[in-house]
């Protein structure tokens, strides 16, 4: 069995309020709050990279788990905003954390990335390739936002969250990762993308605007509820949880209207849905661990509570995971 034994998060200090964005774009606090639920978010200062946030969150997750160098066998880092197109960011993060020559690699599944990374870390443990895996979701979307696009400009925030997964011989212990569900639909790849900078359209051939993140918001919205809902439903059936047994629904923090629609779709009471996007915005691969830590800090989770996580993002990709809440102190 695999168990979650540590959780750490990091947000950059600079707060960017709706009022600040209303001075920059043709938008308003009223529009952003009503249409997304977001009131403020954090953006990293220029010069701060995703790896910097990942190291800070990773350090805290290791502290939360009571681990030191030599205790971790792999680092899996989910991000859409790596420090460089090449190499991956995870090896640098592992080195900066002093973890030695461990396996370290990035996962690219956009906003589903953290749950994809969790599934991969779980797989390494289940296969006997690792005893403990540091799983990180970290993003600096502020570096890929189009300064001329008010729609994406008001949605995204920067941040990082990390968990430690460990092999756990005893089944039924709090913290158990009970199952994962992953999926994708590449036919809808154009709904969320950065057009240039890859081999399809090398950066040298693209227009300046092609280097920015683009999203067809309304179509993504429609996909999000069904994809997360169906993935979560498939997982619940597989692990044998009834919907009314889910104590906390931790959905990808993209839009409060999506979270409300998801709870309705799953027939889970809205008050069981965790919401922290009002304070951090959509932090993509960092979204789920930041929401977990926020709910834990507010005392919402009791040890053993049933927590259902689900996310969707570019690709399209979607993912769900179920855990019982562990006896840990998030940092
Ligand atoms: N301020 C004011 N008006 C705006 C803004 C803004 N910031 N952004 C868009 N508008 C306008 C549009 O131009 C449009 O105007 P028009 O009717 O004159 O053309 C109007 O508001 C309505 O636009 P819609 O796109 O229909 O607005 P909607 O209610 O769908 O909200 C939003 C837009 C917030 C983007 C929503 O569609 C959404 O949240 N979509 C999902 C996005 C998401 O979940 N992304 C997560 C995945 S991303 C990832 O994987 C990294």
């Amino acid at each position: 069995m695999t168990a979650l034994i540590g959780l750490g998060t990091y947000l950059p200090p600079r707060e960017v309020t709706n009022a600040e964005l209303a001075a920059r774009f043709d938008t308003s606090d009223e529009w952003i709050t009503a249409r997304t639920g977001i009131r403020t978010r954090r953006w990293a200062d220029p010069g701060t990279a995703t790896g910097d946030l990942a190291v800070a969150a990773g350090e805290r997750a290791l502290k939360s788990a009571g681990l030191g160098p030599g205790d971790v066998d792999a680092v899996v880092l989910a991000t859409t905003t790596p420090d460089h197109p090449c190499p991956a960011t995870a090896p640098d993060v592992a080195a900066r954390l002093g973890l030695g020559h461990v396996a370290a690699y990035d996962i690219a599944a956009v906003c589903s990335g953290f749950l994809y990374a969790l599934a991969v870390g779980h797989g390494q443990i289940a296969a006997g390739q690792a005893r403990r895996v540091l799983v990180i979701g970290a993003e600096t979307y502020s570096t890929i936002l189009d300064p001329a696009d008010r729609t994406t400009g008001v949605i995204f925030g920067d941040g990082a969250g990390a968990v430690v997964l460990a092999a756990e011989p005893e089944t039924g212990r709090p913290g158990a990762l009970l199952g994962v569900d992953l999926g994708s639909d590449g036919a809808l790849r154009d709904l969320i993308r950065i057009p240039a900078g890859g081999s399809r359209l090398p950066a040298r051939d693209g227009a300046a605007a092609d280097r920015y993140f683009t999203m067809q918001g309304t179509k993504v919205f429609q996909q999000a509820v069904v994809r997360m809902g169906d993935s979560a439903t498939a997982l619940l059936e597989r692990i044998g949880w009834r919907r009314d047994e889910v104590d906390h629904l931790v959905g990808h923090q993209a839009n409060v209207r999506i979270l409300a629609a998801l709870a309705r779709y799953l027939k889970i009471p809205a008050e069981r849905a965790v919401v922290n996007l009002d304070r951090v915005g959509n932090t993509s691969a960092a979204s789920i661990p930041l929401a977990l830590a926020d709910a834990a800090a507010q005392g919402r989770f009791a040890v053993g509570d049933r927590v259902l996580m689900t996310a969707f993002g570019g690709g399209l990709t979607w993912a769900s995971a179920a855990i019982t809440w562990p006896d840990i102190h998030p940092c």
Side-chain angles (χ1 to χ4, degrees):
M1 197 194 83
T2 304
L4 195 157
I5 63 164
L7 170 62
T9 57
Y10 179 79
L11 289 169
R14 187 159 79 89
E15 186 174 355
V16 179
T17 63
N18 289 352
E20 181 177 336
L21 294 177
R24 187 184 298 207
F25 298 113
D26 178 17
T27 189
S28 65
D29 177 35
E30 292 72 26
W31 193 95
I32 302 168
T33 306
R35 303 309 295 167
T36 72
I38 300 165
R39 294 180 183 279
T40 189
R41 73 286 291 145
R42 306 291 184 88
W43 283 0
D45 286 325
T48 300
T50 294
D52 302 328
L53 309 189
V55 167
E59 259 170 9
R60 291 176 179 184
L62 294 171
K63 188 173 167 216
S64 164
L67 299 180
D71 293 333
V72 166
D73 305 312
V75 176
V76 190
L77 171 65
T79 189
T80 322
T81 50
D83 290 5
H84 307 280
C86 171
T89 303
D92 182 48
V93 169
R96 290 169 64 190
L97 287 170
L99 301 180
H101 297 167
V102 298
Y105 48 96
D106 290 1
I107 295 277
V110 198
C111 298
S112 313
F114 177 78
L115 293 182
Y116 263 75
L118 200 72
V120 170
H122 171 51
Q124 274 205 254
I125 290 171
Q129 294 166 352
R131 294 160 305 147
R132 297 186 200 89
V133 179
L134 179 62
V135 176
I136 309 174
E139 301 282 14
T140 48
Y141 263 63
S142 60
T143 62
I144 56 170
L145 293 176
D146 183 345
D149 181 3
R150 64 180 176 175
T151 304
T152 53
V154 303
I155 290 176
F156 291 95
D158 300 341
V163 300
V164 180
L165 293 180
E168 167 58 59
E170 277 185 48
T171 55
R173 284 275 287 269
L177 175 57
L178 295 167
V180 293
D181 179 78
L182 307 179
S184 75
D185 183 359
L188 298 175
R189 62 190 168 271
D190 289 346
L191 295 189
I192 293 168
R193 65 183 188 140
I194 299 174
S199 55
R200 179 78 57 199
L201 180 59
R204 61 169 188 249
D205 298 337
D210 292 333
R211 290 180 221 138
Y212 295 120
F213 178 90
T214 65
M215 179 178 75
Q216 297 181 38
T218 309
K219 287 184 184 159
V220 172
F221 194 121
Q222 290 158 357
Q223 288 290 325
V225 178
V226 177
R227 298 307 188 184
M228 284 196 289
D230 289 350
S231 170
T233 300
L235 179 60
L236 289 178
E237 282 170 10
R238 203 177 314 139
I239 64 173
W241 285 3
R242 295 192 318 267
R243 289 155 196 258
D244 62 336
E245 290 178 327
V246 174
D247 295 306
H248 309 284
L249 174 62
V250 183
H252 171 50
Q253 304 287 306
N255 185 316
V256 75
R257 294 185 292 137
I258 293 177
L259 294 176
L262 174 67
R264 279 197 301 275
Y265 191 87
L266 286 170
K267 298 187 178 63
I268 290 174
E271 58 273 16
R272 295 192 195 171
V274 168
V275 177
N276 74 327
L277 60 79
D278 52 320
R279 284 155 288 138
V280 297
N282 181 344
T283 56
S284 193
S287 172
I288 296 281
L290 284 171
L292 289 176
D294 190 76
Q298 291 181 28
R300 283 185 64 167
F301 292 166
V303 172
D305 276 2
R306 297 178 178 212
V307 180
L308 174 64
M309 302 173 274
T310 186
F312 74 99
L316 290 183
T317 57
W318 52 87
S320 301
I323 58 166
T324 54
W325 189 248
D327 188 6
I328 58 168
H329 296 286
C331 292

